[in-house]
Amino acid sequence: MAAGVPRRQSTLDEVAELAGVSRSVASRVLNNAPHVSRAKREAVERAVHQLAYVPNPTARALATRQTRAAALVVSGEDPSIFADPFFAQVIVGASAALEDADLHLMLCLAASDRGRKRVEQLLRSKGADGVMLMALREDDPLARMAEEAEMPVVFGGRPVGLDPRWYVDVDNVGGARAATEHLIVTGRTRVATICGRLDTEVGRARYRGYRDAMLAAGLDPYPPEVGDFTELSGAAAMAALLARHPDLDGVFAASDNMGAGALRALREAGRPVPGHVAVVGFDDLAVARVADPPLTTVNQPIKGLGREMARMLVALIDGQDPTPLILPTRLVVRASA
């Protein structure tokens, strides 16, 4: 090389090639991000030393178009949904996993036309490195947007009518079955259910679990009384059930919020719990522990749901191909049943 001619700066691609790893893995090593094996980390470090590579953060960001951000998109209408105890725990779990991967968390609502357009723009412009979608309803436009997105997308819960490649869900059918079986084995034979919206997979799955348990016990399932996972809807549904079936002696509510509403409606109707009517919820939120009486419920790992969604998304961003994940549930027995 002639004197005075500066040496060409090595590139990240050359570092990755010499180390025998992907570009994303090399980038993660240089950013000191977790979830990289020791062998790959050492190979990248050797390549950096051999090539005298000096990272240029601005150039690297432009080349990879990485935003170092992930979006959690919820198909809901009310911004306060993110303060709901369920979604709050999802956010805590997802935030912790993304922080470990040096990614920022963006929160988006996408129920209105304006909200969906913002999300569509986010997907098309690659305004994030990946997206987690939750609370999708049947024929939700977000599902189509996810299929067309040129970035990794992880579903929190399976959407109705779709078979996504990457999702994290909980055993909704098994949990609802266990809740209903508990009511039956404790002597309840006239068991009704307050289910979630039936245009969501979680609403349908938990109703299937209730129905399966009733039929297996030789009992007739009641037609579902539908709520929207809020305490107010649970109280209204419980009042409707009492009007139609005054002799019922057990209720499976498909969320703790609806279960708390059911307890309030039973108290107002003068129906002691569990003396006249036993109640079981689903989620194991704080409201279940402070309810009067404390609510028997199905525990699902809500923070774990957020954490595993984020971990799956990070794996996709890193070029891996993770498998779908179903998280377990377990019955927590308290005073209401």
Side-chain angles (χ1 to χ4, degrees), residues 158-176:
R158 286 161 288 184
V160 174
L162 290 181
D163 186 20
R165 186 169 180 181
W166 299 293
Y167 64 83
V168 181
D169 206 348
V170 300
D171 184 10
N172 289 301
V173 173

Side-chain angles (χ1 to χ4, degrees), residues 189-211:
T189 58
R190 299 179 299 279
V191 180
T193 183
I194 301 172
C195 70
R197 295 179 57 116
L198 294 176
D199 60 353
T200 66
E201 179 58 28
V202 63
R204 294 183 182 187
R206 292 181 189 176
Y207 176 66
R208 284 199 304 273
Y210 156 80
R211 189 172 184 275

Side-chain angles (χ1 to χ4, degrees), residues 164-288:
R165 186 169 180 181
W166 299 293
Y167 64 83
V168 181
D169 206 348
V170 300
D171 184 10
N172 289 301
V173 173
R177 186 189 303 117
T180 309
E181 288 172 347
H182 176 73
L183 289 165
I184 294 170
V185 299
T186 55
R188 313 293 168 155
T189 58
R190 299 179 299 279
V191 180
T193 183
I194 301 172
C195 70
R197 295 179 57 116
L198 294 176
D199 60 353
T200 66
E201 179 58 28
V202 63
R204 294 183 182 187
R206 292 181 189 176
Y207 176 66
R208 284 199 304 273
Y210 156 80
R211 189 172 184 275
D212 289 350
M214 292 291 284
L215 292 174
L219 301 173
D220 292 329
Y222 285 57
E225 191 65 39
V226 180
D228 63 3
F229 297 108
T230 64
E231 183 175 347
L232 186 63
S233 72
M238 189 70 250
L241 283 172
L242 288 174
R244 279 196 292 273
H245 312 287
D247 64 338
L248 65 80
D249 59 8
V251 174
F252 164 57
S255 79
D256 286 345
N257 288 331
M258 294 194 297
L263 291 177
R264 175 162 59 86
L266 287 165
R267 186 165 52 250
E268 292 173 354
R271 302 290 295 274
V273 176
H276 286 192
V277 182
V279 181
V280 179
F282 199 115
D283 287 331
D284 200 16
L285 298 174
V287 67

Side-chain angles (χ1 to χ4, degrees), residues 34-303:
H35 310 306
V36 178
S37 70
R38 181 177 178 179
K40 290 181 179 179
R41 188 177 296 277
E42 291 176 349
V44 171
E45 291 170 349
R46 284 195 299 270
V48 167
H49 178 72
Q50 291 176 29
L51 295 173
Y53 175 72
V54 179
N56 183 328
T58 301
R60 184 165 66 251
L62 290 172
T64 62
R65 297 195 67 184
Q66 287 191 333
T67 64
R68 306 307 302 166
L72 174 62
V73 178
V74 176
S75 185
E77 299 173 358
D78 184 355
S80 66
I81 193 172
F82 289 120
D84 178 275
F86 175 86
F87 285 104
Q89 290 193 44
V90 170
I91 291 169
V92 169
S95 296
L98 292 176
E99 185 176 350
D100 287 344
D102 197 26
L103 289 171
H104 300 292
L105 177 63
M106 304 165 55
L107 302 177
C108 305
L109 281 176
S112 66
D113 288 340
R114 184 177 180 183
R116 282 191 289 270
K117 286 179 181 178
R118 285 200 302 268
V119 173
E120 188 168 17
Q121 178 63 25
L122 174 74
L123 294 170
R124 288 181 174 176
S125 65
K126 296 186 178 179
D129 294 334
V131 172
M132 297 169 283
L133 290 180
M134 294 194 72
L136 267 63
R137 299 174 183 172
E138 189 172 16
D139 299 324
D140 198 312
L142 286 180
R144 174 188 55 79
M145 295 181 197
E147 289 181 335
E148 298 173 355
E150 295 183 2
M151 66 171 66
V153 176
V154 172
F155 288 84
R158 286 161 288 184
V160 174
L162 290 181
D163 186 20
R165 186 169 180 181
W166 299 293
Y167 64 83
V168 181
D169 206 348
V170 300
D171 184 10
N172 289 301
V173 173
R177 186 189 303 117
T180 309
E181 288 172 347
H182 176 73
L183 289 165
I184 294 170
V185 299
T186 55
R188 313 293 168 155
T189 58
R190 299 179 299 279
V191 180
T193 183
I194 301 172
C195 70
R197 295 179 57 116
L198 294 176
D199 60 353
T200 66
E201 179 58 28
V202 63
R204 294 183 182 187
R206 292 181 189 176
Y207 176 66
R208 284 199 304 273
Y210 156 80
R211 189 172 184 275
D212 289 350
M214 292 291 284
L215 292 174
L219 301 173
D220 292 329
Y222 285 57
E225 191 65 39
V226 180
D228 63 3
F229 297 108
T230 64
E231 183 175 347
L232 186 63
S233 72
M238 189 70 250
L241 283 172
L242 288 174
R244 279 196 292 273
H245 312 287
D247 64 338
L248 65 80
D249 59 8
V251 174
F252 164 57
S255 79
D256 286 345
N257 288 331
M258 294 194 297
L263 291 177
R264 175 162 59 86
L266 287 165
R267 186 165 52 250
E268 292 173 354
R271 302 290 295 274
V273 176
H276 286 192
V277 182
V279 181
V280 179
F282 199 115
D283 287 331
D284 200 16
L285 298 174
V287 67
R289 295 188 288 275
V290 301
D292 182 21
L295 187 64
T296 292
T297 188
V298 176
N299 173 279
Q300 63 165 322
I302 305 174
K303 288 182 184 177

